[in-house]
Amino acid sequence: MIKPEKTINGTKWIETIQINAEERATLEDQYGIDEDIIEYVTDNDESTNYVYDINEDDQLFIFLAPYALDKDALRYITQPFGMLLHKGVLFTFNQSHIPEVNTALYSALDNPEVKSVDVFILETLFTVVDSFIPISRGITKKRNYWDKMLNRKTKNSDLVSLSYLQQTLTFLSSAVQTNLSELDRLPKTHFGVGADQDKIDLFEDVQIEGEQVQRMFEIETQVVDRIDHTFNSLANNNLNDTMKFLTIWSLTMAVPTIITGFYGMNVKLPLAGMQYAWMLTLGISVALIVAMLIMLKVWRKM
């Protein structure tokens, strides 16, 4: 979808969302955007990048934003969105229709302090970086829940939920890191050449916000990984206790089996003629079992 033209302090803004083949052709024919650029900026597998075409004087920005698979379960991946300055016109590409990107764009548009398209781009990036923070806070709440679950018996569904949380952290942490790397590089590119003090301050604000978000996700990743390690340790310890119990139980049951099996042979055996021989064999079995348990206790195998 290509939305109607809007203006940012005199600069045209063309907003696109999930464009199809016909709309791609419109961008090529009506606005002269190269097909390769459209393919590049709408590729859902692209990573963060900034490209300046010195011949066309085009500037292309690609950044990653959080994309919810299941908000309630905190299942997130990241998807790219693009901004292209082409022949004095700003084009934005939100191919995955990411709500956070739409919010960031219109928040910058409604901001009275946005006096130029450069400031609009930086304000948009600032809001997108900020959109990671509520997710981090949700992960913190979820992590506190897992802290409480350490002393309780966990189910397979709980472990699957923890795995999803780790996947979310992996995707978002990587995106935050790559975004921050590009934000640090941006002032040194053509986009940062001749920046006035207001623009320099905006660069610093976005970088500081990106660093804060990165630290938040680093801490959450470390804590969640430690919780997962603790769960694994507890599971292994419980398994060891179970195996120890089963081993001792099997040894205990082996003793009467041996004794009764020995006296079950169809030959003349000692004590076979006694009236209460079966009680004697039972007593021998119990005595051997007790002796074996005492030896295991002394050898600290129990």
Side-chain angles (χ1 to χ4, degrees), residues 220-240:
E220 292 304 323
T221 299
Q222 292 173 6
V223 174
V224 171
D225 285 346
R226 183 158 297 182
I227 291 173
D228 179 63
H229 178 73
T230 304
F231 270 122
N232 290 333
S233 298
L234 289 173
N236 290 333
N237 187 58
N238 291 337
L239 178 61
N240 290 338

Side-chain angles (χ1 to χ4, degrees), residues 26-45:
T26 300
L27 292 174
E28 294 175 30
D29 299 337
Q30 186 172 341
Y31 297 101
I33 302 177
D34 189 78
E35 179 184 0
D36 292 338
I37 293 179
I38 296 177
E39 288 292 335
Y40 180 68
V41 81
T42 56
D43 186 355
N44 287 334
D45 295 324

Side-chain angles (χ1 to χ4, degrees), residues 47-145:
S47 185
T48 307
N49 199 7
Y50 168 81
V51 179
Y52 172 62
D53 187 343
I54 193 172
N55 296 319
E56 297 290 337
D57 196 30
D58 288 349
Q59 298 183 74
L60 176 62
F61 306 79
I62 296 180
F63 281 83
L64 295 173
Y67 183 80
L69 298 177
D70 185 345
K71 279 191 175 183
D72 294 334
L74 282 176
R75 292 195 65 190
Y76 282 84
I77 58 174
T78 57
Q79 291 290 303
F81 70 97
M83 294 180 284
L84 173 66
L85 280 172
H86 174 70
K87 296 181 180 180
V89 180
L90 174 66
F91 298 84
T92 59
F93 299 86
N94 186 5
Q95 194 64 12
S96 298
H97 203 349
I98 308 169
E100 287 79 3
V101 173
N102 295 330
T103 300
L105 290 170
Y106 283 93
S107 174
L109 182 66
D110 295 336
N111 190 340
E113 297 181 1
V114 173
K115 304 297 183 182
S116 68
V117 69
D118 287 0
V119 175
F120 176 86
I121 291 171
L122 288 173
E123 286 287 352
T124 299
L125 294 179
F126 184 92
T127 307
V128 169
V129 169
D130 256 359
S131 69
F132 286 86
I133 294 179
I135 304 174
S136 177
R137 290 172 179 161
I139 291 173
T140 300
K141 292 180 181 178
K142 196 79 170 178
R143 180 249 296 170
N144 291 334
Y145 165 79

Side-chain angles (χ1 to χ4, degrees), residues 190-202:
H190 179 80
F191 185 67
V193 173
D196 58 18
Q197 190 57 48
D198 290 341
K199 190 173 179 180
I200 292 173
D201 291 342
L202 265 177

Side-chain angles (χ1 to χ4, degrees), residues 7-21:
T7 58
I8 305 167
N9 220 27
T11 301
K12 286 184 180 180
W13 171 29
I14 310 297
E15 181 186 7
T16 73
I17 298 174
Q18 293 179 322
I19 56 175
N20 54 34

